[in-house]
Amino acid sequence: MGGENLIWRCRSSVHQRSSSAVIGVGAEEADEFIIAGAFGTYISVEAAIAIGMSRDIPLNRFRQVGNVAGIGAKQALLSKTRRAEAEEIRKRVEYLELTVSQRFQGEFLKAMYM
């Protein structure tokens, strides 16, 4: 897979993961967009908006948090209190598997050509 193809697929995927058509919440309704992981640590939000990877919303609504999964895993291993907090959060979270969603696939393909 060439680098340009990878960039377009990534752009489309990120754009669609924040799409109201996929998750049912419009950009104007969300208070904050959290960008996590190694990708989120190093991406320029301004550049992501410029190429259509992210929504064109005010920069102050984006927060880059780094590898929070790794930090959370360490905290859960080292602290019973943090482990209990994580369990309570887990009970309130609804997981959406986008890779098997026909709706997501259709919107993903549309976004590749916008």
Side-chain angles (χ1 to χ4, degrees):
M1 173 185 321
E4 184 176 317
N5 186 23
L6 179 62
I7 289 171
W8 282 108
R9 287 180 62 201
C10 182
R11 171 193 158 284
S12 181
S13 179
V14 171
H15 178 84
Q16 282 318 112
R17 287 173 195 255
S18 65
S19 169
S20 60
V22 175
I23 60 174
V25 176
E28 63 284 344
E29 297 174 86
D31 295 329
E32 183 174 47
F33 290 84
I34 299 172
I35 306 171
F39 180 80
T41 300
Y42 299 105
I43 190 169
S44 161
V45 175
E46 294 93 340
I49 291 170
I51 66 168
M53 183 181 282
S54 291
R55 297 288 188 196
D56 189 7
I57 59 173
L59 292 175
N60 66 351
R61 291 181 52 203
F62 288 93
R63 183 164 52 119
Q64 294 171 274
V65 295
N67 184 6
V68 291
I71 293 167
K74 287 177 189 175
Q75 289 178 352
L77 288 171
L78 298 172
S79 167
K80 289 180 181 179
T81 302
R82 290 291 191 191
R83 196 165 36 254
E85 288 173 356
E87 180 60 25
E88 289 304 312
I89 292 169
R90 184 195 64 79
K91 292 175 184 176
R92 296 189 318 259
V93 171
E94 179 182 351
Y95 178 74
L96 301 173
E97 180 55 61
L98 296 178
T99 60
V100 298
S101 166
Q102 291 296 326
R103 188 176 189 179
F104 173 78
Q105 294 299 326
E107 294 296 323
F108 175 85
L109 291 173
K110 283 188 225 172
M112 286 188 72
Y113 299 101
M114 53 182 263

